[in-house]
Structures are given as structure tokens and as C-alpha cells.
Amino acid sequence: MKAVKILNGNQTIAEAARQINPDVVAAYPITPSTAIVETIAQFKADGMISSEFVCPESEHSAMSVCIGAAAAGGRVMTATSSQGLALMWEMLYIAAGLRLPVVAAIVNRALSAPINIHGDHSDTMGARDSGWIQIYSENCQEAYDNFIQAFRIGEHLDVRTPVLVGLDGFIISHSAEPVLIEDDREVRSFIGEFKPVFPLLDTSRKITVGPIDFTDYYFEHKRSQIEGIENSPRVIEEVGREYGQKFGRFYGFFEEYRMDDAETAIVVMSSAAGTGKDAIDELRSEGLRIGLLKPRVFRPFPHEKIAEALKKIKAVAVLDRASSPGAFGAPLFTEIRSALYDYGQRPKIVNYVYGLGGRDINVEHFKEVAAKLQKIAETGKVEEMLGYLNLRE
Amino acid sequence: MKKETWTELAIGALNLQAGNSVSNLTGTWRSGRKPEFIEDNCIQCFFCWLYCPHFAVRVEEGKVTGFNYDYCTGCGLCAEECPTKEKAIVMVKEETKIIEEGKK
Ligand code: SF4
Ligand code: SF4
């Protein structure tokens, strides 16, 4: 039976994992995602899942187990955060290069130094070129819905690419809210049977996984890998639509909030988008024609669709919860600015880095951005393209 | 041999012909020296067979009988590991042949 439950983000992911019941869960606990692993372990101890639960000595090993289990022919998942994801680095590229549809819940949080346990997107933004599909969630419900869809997307035979689902550390992982947990059987029927491709455990067909490539084949194999993620937009759309038809919540590449007649817009991902929408409502009631665009899929980056959605806006602010030291703007900004390059009509665009290490972002900060956008829209002049929000200066 | 384009390759860089390294004649890498078997000194401990990285130690009817030079790279591990007092494997000089790629 489907039911509304009061769950935090970690419990929500664990609930989805219980329903999906993967063949193998391999994970090492790390704050703030610890409770995902802990809750799944409890499910296993209580006999509620049949998954093989492996708790290795590190995240590097956890991802290695995932890779081995996926190559063997299993449906596999893990969960981690920040330093844990950083320790998985080497193996992230291997999962992607071998086209193994591992699914990972990443509770987004800052990277050391300084040591910090709070939420930002430094971890997954750093992994943006590892070849994984990246989907971000605004709240617990989206984390649940995204996590379920991730299996269908990654396992699609044209895609066969690992998928990570991001949810903000503490703000989502540790905040309880009502989540509609769908019926177990309905979720299972949506996910369907896992169809392994050339599994190692099929001894009738002997294969080698991960042999060495020299100058003669590496480049071709890498190009072949890229094809998987390039095939994924169609699948992401199909799965998002099918999920909506079945469960009533439709998903695309991004969400547009009050963008219809907007003159200015704020682009922001994940939990801050919730605060942003409140700010937009207040600003709208004050007469400002402002909207919000919340990217959901960051890899593959929906460059054409986002550019189409923004091209007629006068001034856009992209908010990034990660920095890219030395780069021309933070990750989301550089993608969007580049996506708009070919358009004759395009907005003035600015970038604000916000919320590093869990620094608050509230309605007032969005209003600050809105005021700056308004001035840019009126004057057509950008005084400061790259800035910081709620930083003591 | 014509090499595949990226669309012709198995996804995930899989090798669907496991064991196809037999077609890779690593013996062509050998330069300057090769192992020689002295049967009289051999105690059939199989260390050489175990340590050889290229499966180049020939075994016939349960006995080490020498080397398969198509695969032996001349690395000398077998001679190093051979435990007998009077070595049953010694490395000897060999004239290096220039072999064109892909030809035996
Ligand atoms: S020299 Fe090296 S490759 Fe040749 S048989 Fe001995 S161990 Fe094997
Ligand atoms: S290591 Fe030496 S003694 Fe042992 S089997 Fe090989 S050749 Fe014989």
C-alpha cells in the first residue's frame, strides 16, 4: 500500500532501496549519509531485503565491490558523501568506462580542507567528468522519485551508464518531511527485472572485463563510452514521463517556476530551489517579473533546452553551491553561459557562489540577487559577473 | 589486421573472446637472452611454471620439458626462481631478430 510517511532524506533513500531490493548493496558509512547504510543494514538484519549487504573497509573498496558485482551481473547500489565520494574517484571512472549501471545516492556535502560535514555540491561537481549521469533533488520526495528512476535510466540497454542521485547534506538528509512512499509492488513493477549484459557469472560465455588498451583501442573505447550518456536524454525523458503516468509526479531535465512572463531569472539546483521559490512568490507579489529555473539533470547537461528556456530573459543569475577555483565561473554557470553562446538573443548573466560548507541561503539572499538582476535588466550593464552570496566581505 | 571503429566494439570495453591473448606472440618482445632448460638438474618443483608471467614454460605429461619461445619474453624470472643448487634453468645469449609487427 502506498502511504505518506514522515522520513528524512537518508531514510527515504533507504526505503527506496528496500523496495528495489538490489542484488548487492556495498557501502561504507560516512556523515551525513551514514543513516542510509545503517537503515539498509537494519532491513537486511530484519530479513526485509534479500540483497547481499557488503560493508568493506573504505569507499574505494565499496565502489570496487559495486563494480565487481555489477560485472558479475547484479543490480547494485551504494551511498556516500564528500570525502567518501572523493575516495571512490578512481573507481567512478572504472564503473563508467565499463558501462556498469551502478546507482549511487550521494548526500552532497563539502570537501576538506577545512574539515566540514555540511551540505554543498563540491563532491559531485568534482566528479562531473567521471562519466556518471547526475540527477539532483530538491527535497525528500524528489530524492525518492529520482532514486527509483535512476535504475531504469542507467540500466536501459542504450545507456548502460552509472547514475548518481544527489540530495543536500543535512538540509535534506537530516530533515524529516512527509514523503509519499509508493506501493512496493508498483515500484518493483516500474523498475522491472534486471537484464545483465555479458555477466561474468554466465560461464557459458567467457569474457574478459577490464583488459588493457594501448594507443590502438583506448580512444575508440572512450568514444563508445560517451555514446551511452549521449543516448540518455531520450531515456531520461521517457522514464520521467512514465513515472509521472504511473505515480502522478512527472520529471524532466529541469523545473521552471513562474518563468512564463519573467524578465529576470534565477537558476539554482537542489534544496535551495525551495527557498528560491518562496522568494519568487514574494517578489512577484511585489510586482517583479522574476522566475526560477531548477536544473534536475546536470549530466548529461540539457544545454539546448536550458538555453531555449533562458534566451528571452533579460538578466539571469546562476547560483552555484560549489566553486571551481581558477575557472571562469562555477560549474553550472560555465555550462549555461556556454549553452547560450550561439544565440543571437541572450540574457546578461552573472554567477553567485553560495552555501559552501552549509552556509545558509534564505529568502533575503534571493531578494538581494533579484535586486541586482533588476538593475542589470534596466541598465543592460553587468558590473560584477562573478560574486559570492552571504559571505562576510 | 583491420582494427574496429568505435561503433564496432563491444560496449564497456569488454573482450568477448576471452583467452585471445594466445594470438599475442609475446616472444617477439624477447631481446638478447632466453632461458635454457637443463633437464638433469630439474627436480620438477614447478616453480618456473608458477612464476612465468606468460605461461611459456612447457609442460608435457605432467613434467616441465622446456619453453615455448613463441611466448617467452626472456624475463629471467624462471631462472631466478629455480631452487636447485645446480640451476635447471640458465639464461643464455640469443641473437636478436628484428621482427615486423604482426609477423612471427
Ligand atoms: S624467461 Fe620469463 S617468460 Fe621466459 S619462460 Fe622464463 S619466466 Fe617465462
Ligand atoms: S623451477 Fe627449476 S627445478 Fe623447478 S621445475 Fe622449474 S626448472 Fe625444474
Side-chain angles (χ1 to χ4, degrees):
Chain A
M1 278 290 285
K2 68 175 179 180
V4 174
K5 296 187 181 177
I6 306 296
L7 299 171
N8 65 33
N10 285 333
Q11 293 163 332
T12 303
I13 294 291
E15 266 298 294
R18 181 188 61 72
Q19 298 184 307
I20 293 159
N21 194 23
D23 296 306
V24 176
V25 180
Y28 185 87
I30 183 170
T31 305
S33 69
T34 307
I36 297 177
V37 185
E38 191 183 325
T39 314
I40 294 173
Q42 189 68 54
F43 288 150
K44 174 69 180 171
D46 294 345
M48 291 165 77
I49 53 171
S50 59
S51 310
E52 198 65 47
F53 180 78
V54 189
C55 207
E57 72 280 12
S58 75
E59 288 85 356
H60 186 280
S61 301
M63 186 49 70
S64 302
V65 170
C66 288
I67 288 167
R75 176 178 270 159
V76 181
M77 71 155 281
T78 187
T80 192
S81 287
S82 68
Q83 306 303 122
L85 185 64
L87 190 51
M88 281 181 184
W89 224 250
E90 181 180 21
M91 307 319 290
L92 292 179
Y93 281 75
I94 294 175
L98 297 178
R99 299 280 294 277
L100 299 171
V102 177
V103 174
I106 308 297
V107 177
N108 286 113
R109 79 142 151 111
L111 288 171
S112 304
I115 297 173
N116 171 288
I117 54 168
H118 289 280
D120 75 28
H121 298 158
S122 306
D123 48 9
T124 49
M125 281 300 154
R128 67 189 184 274
D129 289 338
S130 63
W132 284 56
I133 290 170
Q134 295 199 354
I135 304 176
Y136 290 81
S137 325
E138 181 185 325
N139 48 42
C140 291
Q141 188 68 58
E142 283 194 11
Y144 174 79
D145 296 340
N146 285 339
F147 195 70
I148 292 168
Q149 290 173 64
F151 287 84
R152 281 282 303 274
I153 294 164
E155 290 170 8
H156 191 286
L157 292 180
D158 295 340
V159 179
R160 295 276 305 172
T161 295
V163 186
L164 68 81
V165 173
L167 55 151
D168 285 351
F170 290 99
I171 300 164
I172 305 302
S173 70
H174 283 61
S175 303
E177 54 186 41
V179 188
L180 180 58
I181 300 295
E182 301 291 346
D183 180 71
D184 288 2
R185 270 163 313 180
E186 292 298 319
V187 171
R188 271 172 212 153
S189 92
F190 180 81
I191 297 288
E193 283 286 306
F194 180 59
K195 292 182 203 73
V197 178
F198 297 120
L200 273 172
L201 288 181
D202 174 7
T203 50
S204 68
R205 171 117 215 204
K206 293 185 181 61
I207 58 157
T208 304
V209 176
I212 192 168
D213 263 2
F214 287 117
T215 49
D216 52 354
Y217 275 105
Y218 182 88
F219 201 176
E220 279 71 23
H221 276 136
K222 274 299 170 195
R223 176 61 189 88
S224 158
Q225 177 197 326
I226 292 165
E227 194 66 2
I229 199 161
E230 288 196 343
N231 286 340
S232 70
R234 176 178 58 79
V235 175
I236 292 168
E237 256 178 337
E238 275 168 21
V239 171
R241 198 179 317 120
E242 202 188 312
Y243 193 86
Q245 281 156 0
K246 196 168 173 80
F247 299 119
R249 293 178 300 284
F250 289 84
Y251 286 88
F253 293 96
F254 50 83
E255 182 192 339
E256 290 175 273
Y257 188 75
R258 304 190 78 166
M259 287 287 285
D260 280 349
D261 60 342
E263 285 182 337
T264 60
I266 297 175
V267 179
V268 64
M269 299 201 308
S270 300
S271 65
T275 315
K277 288 175 194 167
D278 274 352
I280 299 294
D281 288 344
E282 286 186 27
L283 290 161
R284 281 270 176 181
S285 69
E286 291 163 17
L288 230 59
R289 281 162 64 185
I290 186 164
L292 181 143
L293 188 145
K294 179 189 75 180
R296 169 185 179 240
V297 180
F298 182 76
R299 283 287 181 270
F301 194 75
H303 55 94
E304 253 179 325
K305 289 195 164 65
I306 286 198
E308 283 296 327
L310 294 178
K311 66 179 184 194
K312 293 204 175 104
I313 306 291
K314 284 185 183 156
V316 171
V318 180
L319 271 51
D320 268 278
R321 200 162 200 154
S323 63
S324 183
F328 179 39
L332 190 54
F333 173 77
T334 57
E335 296 282 348
I336 292 177
R337 195 169 189 271
S338 169
L340 288 161
Y341 182 84
D342 287 326
Y343 287 76
Q345 186 188 7
R346 60 189 177 218
K348 295 283 175 197
I349 187 163
V350 291
N351 187 203
Y352 292 100
V353 169
Y354 75 97
L356 297 191
R359 174 63 51 87
D360 258 348
I361 178 163
N362 55 41
V363 170
E364 290 316 307
H365 304 119
F366 278 96
K367 286 187 168 177
E368 219 177 275
V369 172
K372 286 192 177 147
L373 284 179
Q374 196 57 30
K375 197 172 161 209
I376 294 168
E378 279 160 16
T379 61
K381 277 199 193 76
V382 173
E383 272 163 26
E384 185 194 38
M385 192 187 286
L386 311 173
Y388 300 87
L389 216 54
N390 196 15
L391 171 79
R392 291 187 300 279
E393 294 192 74
Chain B
M1 195 179 78
K2 195 185 160 291
K3 293 188 175 76
E4 298 92 329
T5 66
W6 70 267
T7 54
E8 293 164 346
L9 294 168
I11 72 156
L14 293 180
N15 178 353
L16 301 183
Q17 285 98 40
N20 71 351
S21 58
V22 287
S23 66
N24 186 8
L25 301 179
T26 49
T28 60
W29 303 358
R30 205 165 61 246
S31 101
R33 58 180 201 159
K34 64 176 183 181
E36 205 171 75
F37 185 51
I38 305 162
E39 199 182 347
D40 286 350
N41 296 343
C42 176
I43 58 168
Q44 296 297 338
C45 70
F46 274 65
F47 273 22
C48 52
W49 175 84
L50 188 67
Y51 279 99
C52 174
H54 295 283
F55 281 104
V57 174
R58 209 171 56 214
V59 174
E60 285 158 314
E61 290 172 7
K63 282 191 167 158
V64 169
T65 59
F67 308 96
N68 185 339
Y69 292 107
D70 281 348
Y71 300 105
C72 168
T73 61
C75 70
L77 268 174
C78 51
E80 185 67 29
E81 294 299 335
C82 180
T84 52
K85 208 175 207 175
E86 294 289 327
K87 289 273 187 186
I89 301 174
V90 291
M91 297 305 289
V92 298
K93 272 214 173 102
E94 177 188 40
E95 207 184 310
T96 303
K97 288 176 274 176
I98 306 295
I99 302 166
E100 274 181 61
E101 194 194 345
K103 287 190 190 155
K104 205 164 157 183

mmCIF file of all heavy atoms in Angstrom, chain B residues 37 41-49 64 78 81-84 88-89, ligand 2:
data_model
loop_
_atom_site.group_PDB
_atom_site.id
_atom_site.type_symbol
_atom_site.label_atom_id
_atom_site.label_comp_id
_atom_site.label_asym_id
_atom_site.label_seq_id
_atom_site.Cartn_x
_atom_site.Cartn_y
_atom_site.Cartn_z
ATOM 1 N N PHE B 37 66.835 -24.968 -20.693
ATOM 2 C CA PHE B 37 66.440 -25.978 -19.703
ATOM 3 C C PHE B 37 67.514 -27.062 -19.602
ATOM 4 O O PHE B 37 67.967 -27.599 -20.622
ATOM 5 C CB PHE B 37 65.102 -26.589 -20.157
ATOM 6 C CG PHE B 37 64.517 -27.560 -19.183
ATOM 7 C CD1 PHE B 37 64.362 -27.233 -17.840
ATOM 8 C CD2 PHE B 37 64.091 -28.825 -19.607
ATOM 9 C CE1 PHE B 37 63.798 -28.137 -16.949
ATOM 10 C CE2 PHE B 37 63.534 -29.730 -18.715
ATOM 11 C CZ PHE B 37 63.375 -29.374 -17.385
ATOM 12 N N ASN B 41 69.223 -31.402 -14.025
ATOM 13 C CA ASN B 41 69.219 -30.704 -12.732
ATOM 14 C C ASN B 41 67.811 -30.461 -12.176
ATOM 15 O O ASN B 41 67.649 -29.996 -11.057
ATOM 16 C CB ASN B 41 69.918 -29.348 -12.862
ATOM 17 C CG ASN B 41 71.378 -29.491 -13.199
ATOM 18 O OD1 ASN B 41 71.947 -30.582 -13.032
ATOM 19 N ND2 ASN B 41 71.986 -28.429 -13.685
ATOM 20 N N CYS B 42 66.780 -30.774 -12.969
ATOM 21 C CA CYS B 42 65.396 -30.389 -12.614
ATOM 22 C C CYS B 42 64.781 -31.369 -11.613
ATOM 23 O O CYS B 42 64.855 -32.570 -11.789
ATOM 24 C CB CYS B 42 64.560 -30.331 -13.885
ATOM 25 S SG CYS B 42 62.826 -29.981 -13.554
ATOM 26 N N ILE B 43 64.183 -30.805 -10.555
ATOM 27 C CA ILE B 43 63.511 -31.642 -9.544
ATOM 28 C C ILE B 43 61.987 -31.596 -9.702
ATOM 29 O O ILE B 43 61.237 -32.044 -8.840
ATOM 30 C CB ILE B 43 63.910 -31.196 -8.115
ATOM 31 C CG1 ILE B 43 63.550 -29.704 -7.902
ATOM 32 C CG2 ILE B 43 65.398 -31.480 -7.849
ATOM 33 C CD1 ILE B 43 63.631 -29.241 -6.456
ATOM 34 N N GLN B 44 61.515 -30.985 -10.803
ATOM 35 C CA GLN B 44 60.073 -30.891 -11.105
ATOM 36 C C GLN B 44 59.271 -30.228 -9.970
ATOM 37 O O GLN B 44 58.200 -30.689 -9.577
ATOM 38 C CB GLN B 44 59.503 -32.287 -11.429
ATOM 39 C CG GLN B 44 60.083 -32.923 -12.661
ATOM 40 C CD GLN B 44 59.806 -32.145 -13.961
ATOM 41 O OE1 GLN B 44 58.865 -31.354 -14.033
ATOM 42 N NE2 GLN B 44 60.656 -32.348 -14.968
ATOM 43 N N CYS B 45 59.801 -29.146 -9.484
ATOM 44 C CA CYS B 45 59.077 -28.424 -8.429
ATOM 45 C C CYS B 45 57.992 -27.498 -8.987
ATOM 46 O O CYS B 45 57.121 -27.028 -8.265
ATOM 47 C CB CYS B 45 60.044 -27.602 -7.577
ATOM 48 S SG CYS B 45 60.733 -26.210 -8.481
ATOM 49 N N PHE B 46 58.070 -27.182 -10.268
ATOM 50 C CA PHE B 46 57.080 -26.338 -10.967
ATOM 51 C C PHE B 46 57.121 -24.857 -10.574
ATOM 52 O O PHE B 46 56.223 -24.110 -10.925
ATOM 53 C CB PHE B 46 55.653 -26.892 -10.787
ATOM 54 C CG PHE B 46 55.305 -27.937 -11.809
ATOM 55 C CD1 PHE B 46 55.983 -29.148 -11.833
ATOM 56 C CD2 PHE B 46 54.331 -27.709 -12.769
ATOM 57 C CE1 PHE B 46 55.690 -30.116 -12.784
ATOM 58 C CE2 PHE B 46 54.025 -28.667 -13.721
ATOM 59 C CZ PHE B 46 54.712 -29.880 -13.730
ATOM 60 N N PHE B 47 58.150 -24.441 -9.866
ATOM 61 C CA PHE B 47 58.265 -23.012 -9.551
ATOM 62 C C PHE B 47 58.283 -22.176 -10.828
ATOM 63 O O PHE B 47 57.631 -21.141 -10.934
ATOM 64 C CB PHE B 47 59.560 -22.731 -8.759
ATOM 65 C CG PHE B 47 59.412 -22.899 -7.273
ATOM 66 C CD1 PHE B 47 58.401 -23.688 -6.742
ATOM 67 C CD2 PHE B 47 60.295 -22.267 -6.400
ATOM 68 C CE1 PHE B 47 58.281 -23.848 -5.368
ATOM 69 C CE2 PHE B 47 60.173 -22.410 -5.032
ATOM 70 C CZ PHE B 47 59.169 -23.205 -4.519
ATOM 71 N N CYS B 48 59.072 -22.642 -11.807
ATOM 72 C CA CYS B 48 59.208 -21.870 -13.048
ATOM 73 C C CYS B 48 57.840 -21.715 -13.718
ATOM 74 O O CYS B 48 57.473 -20.623 -14.170
ATOM 75 C CB CYS B 48 60.186 -22.558 -13.988
ATOM 76 S SG CYS B 48 59.808 -24.292 -14.257
ATOM 77 N N TRP B 49 57.098 -22.777 -13.727
ATOM 78 C CA TRP B 49 55.754 -22.769 -14.357
ATOM 79 C C TRP B 49 54.831 -21.787 -13.618
ATOM 80 O O TRP B 49 54.084 -21.040 -14.217
ATOM 81 C CB TRP B 49 55.201 -24.204 -14.298
ATOM 82 C CG TRP B 49 53.794 -24.336 -14.799
ATOM 83 C CD1 TRP B 49 53.384 -24.477 -16.079
ATOM 84 C CD2 TRP B 49 52.611 -24.357 -13.981
ATOM 85 N NE1 TRP B 49 52.018 -24.570 -16.148
ATOM 86 C CE2 TRP B 49 51.520 -24.501 -14.862
ATOM 87 C CE3 TRP B 49 52.374 -24.266 -12.610
ATOM 88 C CZ2 TRP B 49 50.200 -24.563 -14.401
ATOM 89 C CZ3 TRP B 49 51.070 -24.320 -12.164
ATOM 90 C CH2 TRP B 49 49.991 -24.474 -13.049
ATOM 91 N N VAL B 64 57.846 -30.626 -16.531
ATOM 92 C CA VAL B 64 58.435 -29.471 -17.206
ATOM 93 C C VAL B 64 59.446 -29.996 -18.213
ATOM 94 O O VAL B 64 60.312 -30.817 -17.878
ATOM 95 C CB VAL B 64 59.127 -28.545 -16.179
ATOM 96 C CG1 VAL B 64 59.971 -27.487 -16.885
ATOM 97 C CG2 VAL B 64 58.081 -27.883 -15.281
ATOM 98 N N CYS B 78 62.043 -17.291 -14.303
ATOM 99 C CA CYS B 78 62.092 -18.745 -14.089
ATOM 100 C C CYS B 78 63.472 -19.157 -13.588
ATOM 101 O O CYS B 78 63.601 -19.914 -12.632
ATOM 102 C CB CYS B 78 61.707 -19.499 -15.357
ATOM 103 S SG CYS B 78 62.633 -18.949 -16.804
ATOM 104 N N GLU B 81 63.995 -18.018 -10.016
ATOM 105 C CA GLU B 81 63.223 -18.761 -9.008
ATOM 106 C C GLU B 81 63.600 -20.234 -8.919
ATOM 107 O O GLU B 81 63.273 -20.901 -7.938
ATOM 108 C CB GLU B 81 61.720 -18.636 -9.302
ATOM 109 C CG GLU B 81 61.171 -17.233 -9.147
ATOM 110 C CD GLU B 81 61.317 -16.680 -7.739
ATOM 111 O OE1 GLU B 81 61.397 -17.471 -6.783
ATOM 112 O OE2 GLU B 81 61.369 -15.432 -7.596
ATOM 113 N N CYS B 82 64.228 -20.766 -9.940
ATOM 114 C CA CYS B 82 64.586 -22.194 -9.950
ATOM 115 C C CYS B 82 65.449 -22.503 -8.716
ATOM 116 O O CYS B 82 66.503 -21.893 -8.524
ATOM 117 C CB CYS B 82 65.354 -22.524 -11.232
ATOM 118 S SG CYS B 82 65.836 -24.270 -11.305
ATOM 119 N N PRO B 83 65.000 -23.382 -7.814
ATOM 120 C CA PRO B 83 65.626 -23.503 -6.492
ATOM 121 C C PRO B 83 66.809 -24.484 -6.403
ATOM 122 O O PRO B 83 67.413 -24.608 -5.350
ATOM 123 C CB PRO B 83 64.462 -24.011 -5.638
ATOM 124 C CG PRO B 83 63.647 -24.843 -6.580
ATOM 125 C CD PRO B 83 63.825 -24.262 -7.947
ATOM 126 N N THR B 84 67.116 -25.176 -7.486
ATOM 127 C CA THR B 84 68.152 -26.206 -7.356
ATOM 128 C C THR B 84 69.543 -25.585 -7.246
ATOM 129 O O THR B 84 69.782 -24.479 -7.744
ATOM 130 C CB THR B 84 68.115 -27.161 -8.566
ATOM 131 O OG1 THR B 84 68.168 -26.370 -9.754
ATOM 132 C CG2 THR B 84 66.854 -27.996 -8.569
ATOM 133 N N ALA B 88 68.538 -25.567 -12.949
ATOM 134 C CA ALA B 88 67.962 -26.313 -14.072
ATOM 135 C C ALA B 88 67.543 -25.369 -15.193
ATOM 136 O O ALA B 88 67.123 -25.802 -16.261
ATOM 137 C CB ALA B 88 66.769 -27.136 -13.606
ATOM 138 N N ILE B 89 67.624 -24.057 -14.899
ATOM 139 C CA ILE B 89 67.353 -23.060 -15.940
ATOM 140 C C ILE B 89 68.486 -22.046 -15.917
ATOM 141 O O ILE B 89 68.812 -21.489 -14.864
ATOM 142 C CB ILE B 89 66.018 -22.327 -15.707
ATOM 143 C CG1 ILE B 89 64.846 -23.307 -15.666
ATOM 144 C CG2 ILE B 89 65.774 -21.292 -16.817
ATOM 145 C CD1 ILE B 89 63.517 -22.685 -15.287
HETATM 146 S S1 SF4 C 2 61.977 -24.313 -11.173
HETATM 147 FE FE1 SF4 C 2 63.831 -25.384 -11.825
HETATM 148 S S2 SF4 C 2 63.687 -27.316 -10.723
HETATM 149 FE FE2 SF4 C 2 61.695 -26.391 -10.513
HETATM 150 S S3 SF4 C 2 60.549 -27.284 -12.231
HETATM 151 FE FE3 SF4 C 2 61.427 -25.407 -12.997
HETATM 152 S S4 SF4 C 2 63.321 -25.975 -13.919
HETATM 153 FE FE4 SF4 C 2 62.704 -27.666 -12.643
#
